[in-house]
């Protein structure tokens, strides 16, 4: 008999939650993480470094950016944060020339929960209906109302600062701490938009940065450097929140430097009976055993585990009797920032560097189909004063020039676009068994491409953004018209759709594999559609819901 | 690392790891310090240091020449930061030498400033845009490195501007006062 009731693979946002919920519900849990241990506070080694203490003063070694971080740099890394991301020469994968997928990862305890964007928005009721309505992708097996109480639970625990906006058609409200509010430029933009577009409302970003303390986590100190790690515990991460809670139960064991290779399947019992693990340092293999398995290794890696778990009875991978495992993979179509200067408020300033930014929820195709593309997009942005860097990009030298840089420069505010990616069967993740990485694992193949729909949505969004920013009467700054390659939004998801019918879906409505019900997949792989906003809050709500179900049926003897 | 390892083993491993990390940090810091020192003997140093001094002179705070800004510029050139090339400095030098009719560094500071100001004005004129390979184009790339070198130095970041690593929880909008100084932290990292 195993010493563990459950194994949680992956310690990022969803793995941390699964570990917390399962241990708090009485299960003995083994949490497996492929990367090294990062201890809260102690291992945030660059957090308090000044730029003059870094070899490249914060700007990063160009050689590093061109080699080992050539893909990861698209996460807008800097010399403080690049160490949090994987080595592109070691953690390799394949992508087609047409896709150019950017797979951005952090392999360490806490995973990307340490570097995530922290924007926390609920999917809207509309998002759960559109697959069924327009026939793209697989219909969700439940609606928003099913998930709403789990959103409530997660928001209260992680601490999301935000403004209650009255349940906008495109964005439900949640359980919020006091908002970080607007800067003067953001307020000006909000007023301008409200004055011209009655159906649009700019809101302060809703982020998992505390404005009220929770337990030992203190409030945000407005440093806006979260991805270095935060010793104040002021943003939600595995380290600051779920891991301490799980450890406090006395029922958690953590193994780091342990890569999940595949799952051992007992076809007769239709269950997974073991998790094959590789020691990342020695390469030695072992098998961990428990009655339940939660796959939370990040969408693509979780798909990889299942696809590598083929057997004579499951030749295309475990959970793939539908033939759809690895299909309908998505990311948000991300288009670069459009910026404008904001005249007339030069005397206004702000204290601190608030990390929440702004959000403009979806406003197209809400009540009816209005555009030549399906679904919609949202905007996220930020504002600030032009910094000392402007001195390098304009004329001037000498004492007066130096003195001028003591004052803040122009106000600048802008938007980036998150357009919904239609779930399309041909956007796939596969495994190339012919090529292996340094651990001997076959390479992931990622082929996700933008369709005409994403291009049209982004072009529409760009025109609308320019019109809205133009209301401020400033100077619009040059921006790219190109959609960034898939993966750039770092919201890769899908590939293991949920549904009632095992012939057309991979997971049931509780995130259990139809083909092996003691395996739960609760990271982004389970998403049937991606909406137009940051998905982590939804992953968390789905994980908590699944963990509650798993613990209940486990206690009821479902996997005895 | 196993969460359930015997305490003694964990402690030994942790101490060993800390020593190794400390040694690597020492070696890295020492290599950086050596490289910085060597740049002071670089034949390009005198010109770059003077350019730094002309762009950000000493006032009531030290100027760029009193900081490691010149070392940073040479580092940026040598590592190709922001597409800087070795010839960027060569082009600027040749242009200034030509305008000086000889030894630019031998001129009086006022005259040096006039010549650099003329190049700077051409480089950042609204039109025409400097052609690739021109001294003006080179200066467009070199000047951001001077600025970055200064405002990321301890003096530039914390004496000329205000270094505020932990602003605190009280976030507020307010009306600027005459004595307000920008926070250097606003724009660390990213492109030059």
């Amino acid at each position: 008999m195993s010493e563990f009731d459950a194994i949680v693979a992956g310690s990022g946002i969803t793995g941390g939650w699964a570990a917390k919920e399962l241990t708090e519900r009485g299960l003995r849990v083994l949490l497996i993480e492929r990367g090294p241990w990062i201890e809260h506070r102690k291992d945030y080694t660059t957090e308090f470094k000044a730029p003059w203490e870094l070899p490249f003063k914060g700007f990063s070694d160009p050689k590093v950016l061109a080699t080992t971080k050539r893909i990861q740099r698209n996460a807008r890394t800097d010399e403080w944060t690049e160490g949090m991301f994987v080595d592109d020469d070691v953690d390799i994968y394949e992508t087609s020339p047409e896709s150019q997928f950017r797979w951005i990862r952090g392999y360490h305890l806490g995973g990307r929960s340490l570097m995530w964007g922290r924007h926390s928005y609920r999917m809207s009721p509309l998002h759960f209906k559109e697959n069924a309505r327009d026939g793209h992708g697989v219909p969700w097996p439940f609606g928003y109302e099913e998930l709403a109480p789990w959103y409530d639970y997660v928001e209260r625990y992680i601490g999301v600062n935000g403004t209650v906006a009255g349940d906008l058609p495109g964005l439900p409200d949640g359980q919020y701490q006091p908002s970080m509010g607007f800067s003067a430029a953001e307020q000006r933009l909000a007023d301008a938009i409200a004055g011209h577009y009655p159906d649009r409302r700019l809101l302060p970003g809703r982020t998992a940065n505390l404005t009220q303390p929770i337990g030992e986590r203190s409030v945000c100190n407005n440093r806006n450097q979260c991805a270095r790690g935060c010793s104040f515990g002021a943003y939600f991460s595995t380290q600051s929140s779920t891991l301490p809670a799980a450890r406090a139960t006395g029922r958690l064991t953590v193994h780091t430097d342990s890569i999940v290779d595949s799952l051992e399947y007992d076809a007769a019992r239709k269950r997974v009976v073991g998790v094959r693990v590789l020691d990342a340092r020695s390469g030695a293999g072992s098998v961990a055993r428990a009655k339940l398995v939660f796959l939370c290794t990040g969408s693509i890696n979780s798909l990889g585990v299942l696809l590598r778990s083929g057997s004579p009875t499951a030749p295309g991978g475990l959970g793939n009797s539908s033939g759809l495992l690895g299909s309908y993979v998505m990311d948000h179509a991300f288009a670069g920032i459009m910026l404008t200067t904001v005249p007339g408020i030069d005397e206004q300033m702000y204290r601190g560097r608030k990390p929440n930014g702004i959000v403009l929820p979806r406003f197209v195709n809400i009540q009816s189909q209005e555009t030549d593309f399906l679904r919609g997009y949202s905007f996220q942005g930020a504002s600030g004063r032009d910094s000392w860097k402007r001195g390098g990009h304009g004329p001037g030298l000498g004492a007066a020039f130096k003195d001028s840089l003591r004052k803040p420069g122009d106000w600048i505010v802008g938007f980036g676009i998150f357009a919904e990616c239609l779930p399309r069967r041909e956007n796939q993740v596969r495994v190339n068994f012919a090529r292996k990485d340094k651990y001997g694992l076959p390479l992931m193949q990622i082929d996700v491409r933008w369709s005409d729909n994403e291009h049209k949505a982004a072009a529409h969004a760009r025109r609308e953004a320019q019109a809205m920013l133009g209301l401020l009467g400033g100077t619009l700054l040059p921006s790219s018209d190109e959609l960034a390659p898939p993966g750039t939004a770092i919201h890769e998801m899908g590939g293991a759709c949920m549904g009632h019918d095992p012939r057309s879906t991979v997971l049931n409505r509780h995130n259990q594999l139809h083909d092996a019900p003691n395996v739960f997949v609760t990271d982004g792989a389970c998403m049937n559609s991606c909406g137009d906003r940051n998905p982590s809050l939804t992953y968390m709500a789905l994980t908590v819901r699944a963990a509650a179900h798993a613990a209940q049926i486990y206690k009821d003897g479902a996997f005895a | 690392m196993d969460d359930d390892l015997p305490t003694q083993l964990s402690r030994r491993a942790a101490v060993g790891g800390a020593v190794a990390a400390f040694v690597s940090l020492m070696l890295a810091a020492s290599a950086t310090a050596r490289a910085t020192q060597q740049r002071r003997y670089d034949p390009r140093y005198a010109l770059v240091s003077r350019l730094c001094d002309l762009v950000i002179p000493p006032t009531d705070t030290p100027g760029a020449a009193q900081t490691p800004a010149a070392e940073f510029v040479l580092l940026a050139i040598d590592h190709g930061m922001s597409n800087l090339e070795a010839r960027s400095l060569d082009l600027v030098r040749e242009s200034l030498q030509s305008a000086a009719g000889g030894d630019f560094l031998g001129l009086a500071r006022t005259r040096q400033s006039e010549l650099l100001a003329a190049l700077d004005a051409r480089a950042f004129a609204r039109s025409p845009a400097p052609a690739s390979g021109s001294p003006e184009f080179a200066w467009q790339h070199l000047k951001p490195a001077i600025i970055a070198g200064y405002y990321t130095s301890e003096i530039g970041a914390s004496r000329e501007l205000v270094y505020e690593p932990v602003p605190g929880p009280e976030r507020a909008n307010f009306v600027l006062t005459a004595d307000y100084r920008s926070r250097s932290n606003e724009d660390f990292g990213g492109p030059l």
Side-chain angles (χ1 to χ4, degrees), chain A residues 3-4 37 39 48-52 55-63 77-78 80 180-184 219-223 225 228 232 247 252-258 281 346-354 384-399 401-403 405-409, chain B residues 1-4 25 32 54-63 68 72 75 79-82 113 116-117 120-121 124 139-140 143-144 147-155 157-158 160-161 163-192:
Chain A
E3 61 184 301
F4 305 113
W37 191 284
E39 187 66 36
F48 292 103
K49 289 264 186 213
W52 57 87
F56 288 83
K57 315 307 172 198
F59 295 102
S60 296
D61 182 346
K63 188 179 170 193
T77 60
D78 56 31
W80 286 272
M180 289 183 158
F182 281 139
S183 70
V219 297
C220 176
N221 278 286
N222 294 296
R223 297 183 296 169
Q225 58 181 43
R228 298 182 195 180
F232 301 101
R247 293 178 93 175
L252 181 72
T253 300
V254 182
H255 288 177
T256 53
D257 301 292
S258 301
R281 296 159 299 190
D346 283 352
E347 77 286 0
Q348 298 291 323
M349 193 53 198
Y350 47 83
R351 181 178 298 118
R353 302 179 290 281
K354 71 186 180 82
R385 303 295 293 261
D386 209 358
S387 75
W388 50 264
K389 280 186 186 167
R390 70 187 190 276
H393 302 278
L397 50 91
F401 170 73
K402 179 184 175 187
D403 188 58
L405 296 179
R406 287 180 173 177
K407 303 299 175 197
Chain B
M1 174 172 164
D2 284 1
D3 200 26
D4 49 357
L25 271 175
T32 306
L54 294 171
V55 174
I56 306 283
T59 52
D60 56 342
T61 63
F72 177 76
L75 176 90
H79 287 80
M81 292 174 76
S82 291
S113 185
L116 184 60
D120 185 74
F124 294 102
W139 180 243
Q140 272 191 345
K143 189 176 180 186
I147 297 294
Y150 180 65
Y151 289 104
T152 58
S153 72
E154 187 166 5
I155 286 173
S158 65
E160 171 61 15
L161 298 184
Y163 182 64
E164 193 175 56
V166 185
E170 298 302 321
R171 201 200 65 77
N173 298 323
F174 62 95
V175 175
L176 279 175
T177 53
D179 61 349
Y180 180 83
R181 280 204 198 190
S182 290
R183 273 50 183 165
S184 56
N185 313 65
E186 291 277 331
D187 214 358
F188 289 145
L192 289 180

Side-chain angles (χ1 to χ4, degrees), chain B residues 13-108:
Chain B
V15 170
V19 169
F22 181 71
V23 169
S24 347
L25 271 175
M26 288 281 289
L27 289 173
S30 148
T32 306
R34 271 201 310 276
T36 301
Q37 212 163 30
Q38 280 165 3
R39 288 203 169 84
R40 298 214 163 200
Y41 301 104
D42 188 306
R44 302 168 296 175
Y45 182 82
L47 174 62
V48 173
S49 181
R50 178 48 56 91
L51 294 174
C52 288
D53 190 50
L54 294 171
V55 174
I56 306 283
T59 52
D60 56 342
T61 63
Q66 282 85 52
T67 73
E71 286 89 333
F72 177 76
V73 173
L74 293 172
L75 176 90
I77 291 171
D78 293 343
H79 287 80
M81 292 174 76
S82 291
N83 299 320
L84 264 173
E85 300 170 344
R87 71 175 189 149
S88 301
L89 185 59
D90 294 339
L91 287 164
V92 168
R93 178 196 295 110
E94 287 161 14
S95 172
L96 293 173
Q97 296 281 71
S98 169
D103 180 17
F104 173 78
L105 287 176
L107 295 178

